[in-house]
Amino acid sequence: MTQPPSPSKMELLLGSSWQNVLQEEWCKPYFLQLIDFLIQERASPVPIYPPPQEVFSAFALTPFDQVKVVIMGQDPYHGPKQAHGLSFSVCPGNPLPPSLRNIFQELHTDLGISPPSHGSLISWAKQGVLMLNAVLTVRAHQPRSHQKKGWEQFTDTVITHLATREDPPIFVLWGHDAKAKCRLILEKVPPIHFILESMHPSPYSAHFGFFGCRHFSKINEHLKSQGKAPIDWVIK
């Protein structure tokens, strides 16, 4: 089995605030097994997304103590040059995936914000929106191919730390997978959370509860009620 990653390397990838919170994970058997699995996967001819330096982009862009909102996804996009470490987000220059198009449609309906020219959600992440996938890597053209390899335990730990923070963030759960994952954790902590749920923005389900959910305005209303700055949802 490989050696645990060094604290300095993980701090470089995640930032100091997340390294302080998650440092105990690096030596746990599940995480070491996950590293071994990823080394083997990246040595194969099948591409793995996102690139290694972008796997933890969501954490690097949104420090632990600055997380205002958590938007849960399942696993990264599996097409070339799409995934860059943020749930639902794609690198600039790529066509918008159907779910992201629907997110932007709801954003326009809710707040009148015109759809942007690209699908990168980095501007949201920099304002405290943790765009978190349950699984952080995937094989090219094989959705869910890295499930049950250890990522779920890692992201469960992330959610637990956020849920038990003195000032917990808003949790936004779109679709069955996000609801099932987070509910198991949030039910174990004091009921002081603001949770928004809807159907997934996928074309297969968006018309059955995602469209019209008004989550973007509801998030900002709650943030303002707590004396916090609202999110500027305009994509920069």
Side-chain angles (χ1 to χ4, degrees):
M1 184 177 292
T2 190
Q3 292 297 310
S6 69
S8 59
K9 180 177 181 180
M10 297 311 296
E11 181 172 340
L12 182 64
L13 291 171
L14 287 89
S16 59
S17 68
W18 283 108
Q19 161 60 11
N20 292 337
V21 170
L22 298 171
Q23 57 187 327
E24 294 183 0
E25 300 305 298
W26 317 143
C27 294
K28 292 183 178 179
Y30 88 88
F31 197 82
L32 299 178
Q33 292 169 6
L34 173 60
I35 292 175
D36 281 340
F37 168 75
L38 291 173
I39 290 173
Q40 294 172 11
E41 287 286 277
R42 293 201 185 273
S44 76
V46 179
I48 303 301
Y49 302 128
Q53 68 274 16
E54 295 182 338
V55 169
F56 295 104
S57 290
F59 301 91
L61 289 165
T62 314
F64 175 76
D65 55 353
Q66 296 179 26
V67 177
K68 296 179 177 179
V69 183
V70 179
I71 297 182
M72 285 297 306
Q74 184 52 46
D75 59 355
Y77 294 121
H78 52 84
K81 299 181 180 180
Q82 290 183 308
H84 64 123
L86 307 182
S87 62
F88 297 104
S89 181
V90 292
C91 295
N94 285 276
L96 300 182
S99 292
L100 188 55
R101 285 201 302 269
N102 287 340
I103 289 171
F104 289 157
Q105 181 176 332
E106 174 61 21
L107 183 62
H108 181 262
T109 301
D110 188 8
L111 295 174
I113 295 174
S114 299
S117 59
H118 64 85
S120 173
L121 305 180
I122 286 177
S123 63
W124 292 1
K126 289 183 176 179
Q127 297 178 75
V129 182
L130 182 66
M131 311 296 300
L132 180 65
N133 278 317
V135 174
L136 302 190
T137 54
V138 69
R139 289 178 194 153
H141 310 301
Q142 297 181 46
R144 300 177 183 259
S145 53
H146 283 187
Q147 284 190 331
K148 299 181 181 179
K149 302 299 182 181
W151 281 128
E152 291 91 345
Q153 184 171 343
F154 175 76
T155 51
D156 280 356
T157 300
V158 170
I159 294 167
T160 300
H161 280 295
L162 288 167
T164 54
R165 202 178 65 179
E166 182 177 352
D167 180 23
I170 299 167
F171 288 88
V172 179
L173 313 180
W174 291 337
H176 173 76
D177 288 342
K179 294 176 188 177
K181 179 179 181 66
C182 291
R183 276 296 182 187
L184 289 173
I185 297 169
L186 299 180
E187 287 172 358
K188 298 177 183 177
V189 299
I192 56 174
H193 300 88
F194 189 73
I195 303 169
L196 294 171
E197 299 182 2
S198 77
M199 298 297 287
H200 194 275
S202 161
Y204 300 104
S205 55
H207 288 280
F208 299 97
F210 177 75
F211 289 137
C213 69
R214 297 187 63 247
H215 281 180
F216 302 102
S217 59
K218 290 176 181 177
I219 288 168
N220 279 352
E221 288 166 5
H222 185 71
L223 289 173
K224 287 188 285 188
S225 74
Q226 294 185 313
K228 299 178 181 178
I231 305 300
D232 179 2
W233 297 108
V234 176
I235 302 296
K236 304 295 192 295

PDB file of all heavy atoms in Angstrom, residues 104 107 113-114 116-124 232-236:
ATOM      1  N   PHE A 104     -29.290  26.974 -15.154  1.00  0.00           N
ATOM      2  CA  PHE A 104     -29.283  28.367 -15.615  1.00  0.00           C
ATOM      3  C   PHE A 104     -30.696  28.837 -15.996  1.00  0.00           C
ATOM      4  O   PHE A 104     -31.032  30.011 -15.831  1.00  0.00           O
ATOM      5  CB  PHE A 104     -28.335  28.525 -16.799  1.00  0.00           C
ATOM      6  CG  PHE A 104     -26.876  28.428 -16.428  1.00  0.00           C
ATOM      7  CD1 PHE A 104     -25.924  28.077 -17.369  1.00  0.00           C
ATOM      8  CD2 PHE A 104     -26.440  28.688 -15.132  1.00  0.00           C
ATOM      9  CE1 PHE A 104     -24.574  27.995 -17.038  1.00  0.00           C
ATOM     10  CE2 PHE A 104     -25.107  28.594 -14.776  1.00  0.00           C
ATOM     11  CZ  PHE A 104     -24.177  28.256 -15.741  1.00  0.00           C
ATOM     12  N   LEU A 107     -32.307  29.654 -12.759  1.00  0.00           N
ATOM     13  CA  LEU A 107     -31.708  30.893 -12.273  1.00  0.00           C
ATOM     14  C   LEU A 107     -32.339  32.108 -12.958  1.00  0.00           C
ATOM     15  O   LEU A 107     -32.608  33.126 -12.311  1.00  0.00           O
ATOM     16  CB  LEU A 107     -30.199  30.855 -12.535  1.00  0.00           C
ATOM     17  CG  LEU A 107     -29.350  32.027 -12.043  1.00  0.00           C
ATOM     18  CD1 LEU A 107     -29.418  32.159 -10.533  1.00  0.00           C
ATOM     19  CD2 LEU A 107     -27.900  31.849 -12.492  1.00  0.00           C
ATOM     20  N   ILE A 113     -31.627  36.367 -14.144  1.00  0.00           N
ATOM     21  CA  ILE A 113     -30.239  36.400 -14.599  1.00  0.00           C
ATOM     22  C   ILE A 113     -30.131  35.656 -15.926  1.00  0.00           C
ATOM     23  O   ILE A 113     -30.507  34.490 -16.035  1.00  0.00           O
ATOM     24  CB  ILE A 113     -29.309  35.758 -13.550  1.00  0.00           C
ATOM     25  CG1 ILE A 113     -29.329  36.606 -12.267  1.00  0.00           C
ATOM     26  CG2 ILE A 113     -27.888  35.619 -14.088  1.00  0.00           C
ATOM     27  CD1 ILE A 113     -28.559  35.981 -11.118  1.00  0.00           C
ATOM     28  N   SER A 114     -29.624  36.340 -16.928  1.00  0.00           N
ATOM     29  CA  SER A 114     -29.505  35.743 -18.259  1.00  0.00           C
ATOM     30  C   SER A 114     -28.477  34.623 -18.255  1.00  0.00           C
ATOM     31  O   SER A 114     -27.461  34.705 -17.553  1.00  0.00           O
ATOM     32  CB  SER A 114     -29.094  36.803 -19.280  1.00  0.00           C
ATOM     33  OG  SER A 114     -30.078  37.827 -19.363  1.00  0.00           O
ATOM     34  N   PRO A 116     -25.311  32.534 -18.947  1.00  0.00           N
ATOM     35  CA  PRO A 116     -23.975  33.019 -19.291  1.00  0.00           C
ATOM     36  C   PRO A 116     -23.444  32.363 -20.559  1.00  0.00           C
ATOM     37  O   PRO A 116     -24.062  31.444 -21.117  1.00  0.00           O
ATOM     38  CB  PRO A 116     -23.134  32.603 -18.079  1.00  0.00           C
ATOM     39  CG  PRO A 116     -23.799  31.360 -17.593  1.00  0.00           C
ATOM     40  CD  PRO A 116     -25.276  31.561 -17.835  1.00  0.00           C
ATOM     41  N   SER A 117     -22.293  32.825 -20.989  1.00  0.00           N
ATOM     42  CA  SER A 117     -21.677  32.290 -22.206  1.00  0.00           C
ATOM     43  C   SER A 117     -20.817  31.059 -21.933  1.00  0.00           C
ATOM     44  O   SER A 117     -20.284  30.459 -22.861  1.00  0.00           O
ATOM     45  CB  SER A 117     -20.817  33.369 -22.870  1.00  0.00           C
ATOM     46  OG  SER A 117     -19.794  33.810 -21.976  1.00  0.00           O
ATOM     47  N   HIS A 118     -20.651  30.687 -20.671  1.00  0.00           N
ATOM     48  CA  HIS A 118     -19.849  29.517 -20.318  1.00  0.00           C
ATOM     49  C   HIS A 118     -20.440  28.876 -19.071  1.00  0.00           C
ATOM     50  O   HIS A 118     -21.340  29.430 -18.434  1.00  0.00           O
ATOM     51  CB  HIS A 118     -18.385  29.910 -20.072  1.00  0.00           C
ATOM     52  CG  HIS A 118     -18.190  30.820 -18.893  1.00  0.00           C
ATOM     53  ND1 HIS A 118     -18.062  30.353 -17.595  1.00  0.00           N
ATOM     54  CD2 HIS A 118     -18.135  32.180 -18.811  1.00  0.00           C
ATOM     55  CE1 HIS A 118     -17.917  31.376 -16.774  1.00  0.00           C
ATOM     56  NE2 HIS A 118     -17.966  32.489 -17.470  1.00  0.00           N
ATOM     57  N   GLY A 119     -19.915  27.686 -18.712  1.00  0.00           N
ATOM     58  CA  GLY A 119     -20.491  26.929 -17.600  1.00  0.00           C
ATOM     59  C   GLY A 119     -19.601  26.785 -16.397  1.00  0.00           C
ATOM     60  O   GLY A 119     -19.841  25.902 -15.562  1.00  0.00           O
ATOM     61  N   SER A 120     -18.584  27.632 -16.248  1.00  0.00           N
ATOM     62  CA  SER A 120     -17.726  27.550 -15.073  1.00  0.00           C
ATOM     63  C   SER A 120     -18.379  28.243 -13.890  1.00  0.00           C
ATOM     64  O   SER A 120     -18.758  29.420 -13.979  1.00  0.00           O
ATOM     65  CB  SER A 120     -16.363  28.193 -15.360  1.00  0.00           C
ATOM     66  OG  SER A 120     -15.596  28.264 -14.181  1.00  0.00           O
ATOM     67  N   LEU A 121     -18.476  27.546 -12.777  1.00  0.00           N
ATOM     68  CA  LEU A 121     -19.122  28.075 -11.580  1.00  0.00           C
ATOM     69  C   LEU A 121     -18.105  28.536 -10.536  1.00  0.00           C
ATOM     70  O   LEU A 121     -18.417  28.623  -9.353  1.00  0.00           O
ATOM     71  CB  LEU A 121     -20.060  27.017 -10.986  1.00  0.00           C
ATOM     72  CG  LEU A 121     -21.111  26.450 -11.946  1.00  0.00           C
ATOM     73  CD1 LEU A 121     -21.984  25.419 -11.243  1.00  0.00           C
ATOM     74  CD2 LEU A 121     -21.959  27.556 -12.562  1.00  0.00           C
ATOM     75  N   ILE A 122     -16.902  28.859 -10.991  1.00  0.00           N
ATOM     76  CA  ILE A 122     -15.854  29.296 -10.076  1.00  0.00           C
ATOM     77  C   ILE A 122     -16.268  30.553  -9.322  1.00  0.00           C
ATOM     78  O   ILE A 122     -15.955  30.705  -8.131  1.00  0.00           O
ATOM     79  CB  ILE A 122     -14.532  29.524 -10.841  1.00  0.00           C
ATOM     80  CG1 ILE A 122     -13.907  28.172 -11.205  1.00  0.00           C
ATOM     81  CG2 ILE A 122     -13.540  30.342 -10.014  1.00  0.00           C
ATOM     82  CD1 ILE A 122     -12.631  28.273 -12.018  1.00  0.00           C
ATOM     83  N   SER A 123     -16.987  31.451  -9.963  1.00  0.00           N
ATOM     84  CA  SER A 123     -17.387  32.686  -9.280  1.00  0.00           C
ATOM     85  C   SER A 123     -18.313  32.392  -8.113  1.00  0.00           C
ATOM     86  O   SER A 123     -18.313  33.122  -7.111  1.00  0.00           O
ATOM     87  CB  SER A 123     -18.049  33.659 -10.260  1.00  0.00           C
ATOM     88  OG  SER A 123     -19.247  33.123 -10.797  1.00  0.00           O
ATOM     89  N   TRP A 124     -19.123  31.329  -8.181  1.00  0.00           N
ATOM     90  CA  TRP A 124     -19.943  30.927  -7.032  1.00  0.00           C
ATOM     91  C   TRP A 124     -19.057  30.368  -5.934  1.00  0.00           C
ATOM     92  O   TRP A 124     -19.219  30.714  -4.757  1.00  0.00           O
ATOM     93  CB  TRP A 124     -20.946  29.853  -7.454  1.00  0.00           C
ATOM     94  CG  TRP A 124     -22.019  30.308  -8.386  1.00  0.00           C
ATOM     95  CD1 TRP A 124     -22.185  31.570  -8.911  1.00  0.00           C
ATOM     96  CD2 TRP A 124     -23.077  29.513  -8.923  1.00  0.00           C
ATOM     97  NE1 TRP A 124     -23.266  31.598  -9.746  1.00  0.00           N
ATOM     98  CE2 TRP A 124     -23.840  30.361  -9.769  1.00  0.00           C
ATOM     99  CE3 TRP A 124     -23.443  28.187  -8.785  1.00  0.00           C
ATOM    100  CZ2 TRP A 124     -24.963  29.884 -10.462  1.00  0.00           C
ATOM    101  CZ3 TRP A 124     -24.552  27.709  -9.465  1.00  0.00           C
ATOM    102  CH2 TRP A 124     -25.303  28.559 -10.295  1.00  0.00           C
ATOM    103  N   ASP A 232     -23.861  36.540  -5.189  1.00  0.00           N
ATOM    104  CA  ASP A 232     -24.084  37.128  -6.507  1.00  0.00           C
ATOM    105  C   ASP A 232     -24.068  35.970  -7.491  1.00  0.00           C
ATOM    106  O   ASP A 232     -23.014  35.447  -7.835  1.00  0.00           O
ATOM    107  CB  ASP A 232     -22.988  38.156  -6.833  1.00  0.00           C
ATOM    108  CG  ASP A 232     -23.166  38.772  -8.205  1.00  0.00           C
ATOM    109  OD1 ASP A 232     -24.162  38.438  -8.895  1.00  0.00           O
ATOM    110  OD2 ASP A 232     -22.310  39.583  -8.602  1.00  0.00           O
ATOM    111  N   TRP A 233     -25.238  35.566  -7.953  1.00  0.00           N
ATOM    112  CA  TRP A 233     -25.362  34.383  -8.799  1.00  0.00           C
ATOM    113  C   TRP A 233     -25.000  34.638 -10.261  1.00  0.00           C
ATOM    114  O   TRP A 233     -24.999  33.690 -11.067  1.00  0.00           O
ATOM    115  CB  TRP A 233     -26.783  33.810  -8.724  1.00  0.00           C
ATOM    116  CG  TRP A 233     -27.160  33.321  -7.356  1.00  0.00           C
ATOM    117  CD1 TRP A 233     -28.033  33.898  -6.484  1.00  0.00           C
ATOM    118  CD2 TRP A 233     -26.690  32.127  -6.700  1.00  0.00           C
ATOM    119  NE1 TRP A 233     -28.134  33.160  -5.328  1.00  0.00           N
ATOM    120  CE2 TRP A 233     -27.314  32.057  -5.436  1.00  0.00           C
ATOM    121  CE3 TRP A 233     -25.785  31.118  -7.060  1.00  0.00           C
ATOM    122  CZ2 TRP A 233     -27.077  31.018  -4.541  1.00  0.00           C
ATOM    123  CZ3 TRP A 233     -25.556  30.086  -6.173  1.00  0.00           C
ATOM    124  CH2 TRP A 233     -26.191  30.034  -4.931  1.00  0.00           C
ATOM    125  N   VAL A 234     -24.710  35.870 -10.615  1.00  0.00           N
ATOM    126  CA  VAL A 234     -24.304  36.168 -11.991  1.00  0.00           C
ATOM    127  C   VAL A 234     -22.962  35.492 -12.267  1.00  0.00           C
ATOM    128  O   VAL A 234     -21.993  35.683 -11.504  1.00  0.00           O
ATOM    129  CB  VAL A 234     -24.203  37.677 -12.229  1.00  0.00           C
ATOM    130  CG1 VAL A 234     -23.689  37.965 -13.642  1.00  0.00           C
ATOM    131  CG2 VAL A 234     -25.548  38.366 -11.996  1.00  0.00           C
ATOM    132  N   ILE A 235     -22.887  34.708 -13.313  1.00  0.00           N
ATOM    133  CA  ILE A 235     -21.654  34.001 -13.655  1.00  0.00           C
ATOM    134  C   ILE A 235     -20.667  34.983 -14.263  1.00  0.00           C
ATOM    135  O   ILE A 235     -20.959  35.655 -15.248  1.00  0.00           O
ATOM    136  CB  ILE A 235     -21.937  32.852 -14.648  1.00  0.00           C
ATOM    137  CG1 ILE A 235     -22.956  31.878 -14.052  1.00  0.00           C
ATOM    138  CG2 ILE A 235     -20.638  32.143 -15.024  1.00  0.00           C
ATOM    139  CD1 ILE A 235     -22.502  31.166 -12.822  1.00  0.00           C
ATOM    140  N   LYS A 236     -19.486  35.061 -13.647  1.00  0.00           N
ATOM    141  CA  LYS A 236     -18.458  35.993 -14.127  1.00  0.00           C
ATOM    142  C   LYS A 236     -17.575  35.312 -15.159  1.00  0.00           C
ATOM    143  O   LYS A 236     -17.337  34.118 -15.090  1.00  0.00           O
ATOM    144  CB  LYS A 236     -17.611  36.488 -12.949  1.00  0.00           C
ATOM    145  CG  LYS A 236     -18.452  37.131 -11.831  1.00  0.00           C
ATOM    146  CD  LYS A 236     -19.134  38.406 -12.315  1.00  0.00           C
ATOM    147  CE  LYS A 236     -19.711  39.206 -11.147  1.00  0.00           C
ATOM    148  NZ  LYS A 236     -20.788  38.547 -10.412  1.00  0.00           N
TER     149      LYS A 236
END
